[in-house]
Amino acid sequence: MGRVELKMSERGGAGAERAHAVNRAYLAAARALDVVSLFPGFCQLTSDATSAYTQAFLKGTPTWVALPRERWPPGWEGKYTNPVVPLVLNLYGHPDAGGWWEEECIRRLKDLGWEEIEGWSSVFLHRATGSLLVVYVDDFTMACPTK
């Protein structure tokens, strides 16, 4: 059986749930990409986004966090005991983290010439290079021409 990912986000409305049954769609996309990469003159590349969630700014409801002592700027020692600061960057574990990262990832891919394939979530086509990309959270798999 596949994996099902449930995402809850305030962006869809007050308490709205946005559920994605990604198991079948993702597996079908991954299999299609595997097939494309087997054609002569094509290859498959896989990569992981480094610190993916923190590449996006946190939006929505302001969130405050206690700052660990090792992250305190000089001058805070002796002045504060447990400082709380606004969370600026998206952080894994925040209820909206996945949605904000997904939005930022799609924006960046589009800026680089990738087009979303209509009706196939997280699958992108780059017409100029003839490449196919499947994104699953922060994992990227691409089938592309070797030249």
Side-chain angles (χ1 to χ4, degrees), residues 8-93:
M8 294 182 63
S9 174
E10 67 185 35
R11 294 177 297 134
E17 292 184 22
R18 194 176 77 161
H20 295 268
V22 297
N23 56 348
R24 287 190 176 96
Y26 172 75
L27 288 175
R31 287 180 182 139
L33 192 130
D34 287 343
V35 169
V36 170
S37 71
L38 293 173
F39 287 132
F42 277 78
C43 68
Q44 187 175 103
L45 304 169
T46 303
S47 185
D48 189 65
T50 305
S51 303
Y53 287 92
T54 58
Q55 290 186 35
F57 286 100
L58 186 65
K59 303 173 190 175
T61 304
T63 301
W64 294 75
V65 294
L67 197 60
R69 189 172 299 272
E70 63 270 10
R71 304 300 278 165
W72 291 11
W76 280 22
E77 195 65 49
K79 187 174 182 181
Y80 302 108
T81 55
N82 188 23
V84 177
V85 296
L87 184 60
V88 177
L89 294 177
N90 200 13
L91 185 64
Y92 181 81

Side-chain angles (χ1 to χ4, degrees), residues 58-133:
L58 186 65
K59 303 173 190 175
T61 304
T63 301
W64 294 75
V65 294
L67 197 60
R69 189 172 299 272
E70 63 270 10
R71 304 300 278 165
W72 291 11
W76 280 22
E77 195 65 49
K79 187 174 182 181
Y80 302 108
T81 55
N82 188 23
V84 177
V85 296
L87 184 60
V88 177
L89 294 177
N90 200 13
L91 185 64
Y92 181 81
H94 187 282
D96 287 328
W100 296 130
W101 159 245
E102 178 182 26
E103 186 178 281
E104 178 67 12
C105 178
I106 291 170
R107 184 193 64 77
R108 290 184 184 193
L109 288 171
K110 286 181 175 181
D111 286 349
L112 294 169
W114 292 94
E115 303 170 31
E116 289 182 271
I117 296 179
E118 189 177 335
W120 211 352
S121 165
S122 299
V123 182
F124 300 85
L125 176 66
H126 198 283
R127 291 183 193 277
T129 63
S131 302
L132 184 66
L133 178 70

